[in-house]
Amino acid sequence: MTFAATVLTLYPEMFPGPLGLSLAGRALAQGTWSLDAVQIRDFATDKHRSVDDTPAGGGAGMVMRADVLAAAIDAHADDRPLIAMTPRGAPLTQKRVRDLAEGPGVTILCGRFEGIDQRLFDARAIEEVSIGDYVLSGGEVGALVLLDACVRLLPGVMGAASSGDEESFESGLLEYPHYTRPFEWEGRTIPEVLRSGDHAKIAAWRKAEAEVVTRSRRPDLWERHIGARVQPPSGARQKKDE
Ligand code: SAH
């Protein structure tokens, strides 16, 4: 099954962009996934082909029109999830990425200017997704981020190199540190345990390192990891001592 991506944008030239190279590019060429970048302006109806207008209530910048965006959405929407990139959206997570990658694909709406007329979100079932707490100039780079994260999980894209299971976020922890040759570089050596050939010992060391780095860099992830671990595996929750 091909993972079908449709991107609604004022800048279709930005696609596939970086996703045309490396593993994602090869997978695109092989038909593991498909990408349709749609020019929103083609759905404008006035003679100037306008897609935006000044904000109601005043203020800086321009707002994307609900009617034009709805026409673009309605022409392409199907059973795939419909996502708009917005800074107000739910932060993108590896879990959401994995769910999307297991589905038929995604349609992504890219905002520009100050944003999108609220009535579009009120009138259509659109999932708003943010790629982080900072402001981009448009949703296109966000769409590339989301698609990159999905495509690398598609069967066959990464080969046997990694099942992804041990990577950052998959287990709720950040990843352990990596090393490769040369054995010594600028006086620094590779940790002895990694050269021991003792796979159980190596696995234990990596787990411990992942816990240390997560606890120090991302206390929020660590709290959740610990919390998840003390939950009973299924069924009724045990009452914890206060
Ligand atoms: N005025 C808005 C920012 C608009 S930025 C605000 O203050 O919230 C223009 C467009 O870039 C947005 O419509 C959105 O599509 C995209 N964008 C900006 N930051 C983003 C982020 N963190 N995640 C996803 N999309 C983002």
Side-chain angles (χ1 to χ4, degrees), residues 8 32 38 48 59 69-70 90 94 101 116 155 190 212 219 232 236:
L8 310 176
T32 307
V38 175
H48 300 295
L69 292 178
Q94 187 65 15
I116 296 166
I190 295 175
V212 166

Side-chain angles (χ1 to χ4, degrees), residues 3-17 19 28 33-43 64 69 72-73 75-78 80-85 105-112 138-148 150-151:
F3 179 88
T6 299
V7 181
L8 310 176
T9 169
L10 290 173
Y11 298 97
E13 311 86 337
M14 288 193 184
F15 297 87
L19 300 184
L28 184 60
W33 68 294
S34 68
L35 178 61
D36 185 18
V38 175
Q39 173 55 269
I40 291 168
R41 203 172 289 283
D42 292 344
F43 294 86
M64 295 183 87
L69 292 178
I73 286 170
H76 293 91
D78 48 25
R80 291 171 294 162
L82 172 60
I83 288 178
M85 303 308 310
V106 62
T107 300
I108 307 175
L109 172 62
C110 301
R112 278 272 154 183
E140 288 78 9
V141 171
L144 291 169
V145 166
L146 192 155
L147 290 175
D148 182 294
C150 289
V151 166

Side-chain angles (χ1 to χ4, degrees), residues 185-217:
W185 174 73
E186 294 194 349
R188 296 162 195 275
T189 55
I190 295 175
E192 201 53 53
V193 57
L194 297 179
R195 305 174 63 234
S196 67
D198 182 337
H199 295 296
K201 230 165 94 184
I202 291 171
W205 180 85
R206 286 177 167 166
K207 182 163 176 284
E209 288 291 314
E211 291 177 354
V212 166
V213 73
T214 306
R215 203 161 49 208
S216 67
R217 294 188 188 182

Side-chain angles (χ1 to χ4, degrees), residues 135-173:
V135 181
L136 306 170
S137 53
E140 288 78 9
V141 171
L144 291 169
V145 166
L146 192 155
L147 290 175
D148 182 294
C150 289
V151 166
R152 64 190 289 284
L153 295 181
L154 299 177
V157 172
M158 288 199 306
S162 171
S163 66
D165 290 348
E166 282 191 16
E167 286 181 312
S168 291
F169 309 115
E170 290 291 356
S171 62
L173 294 173

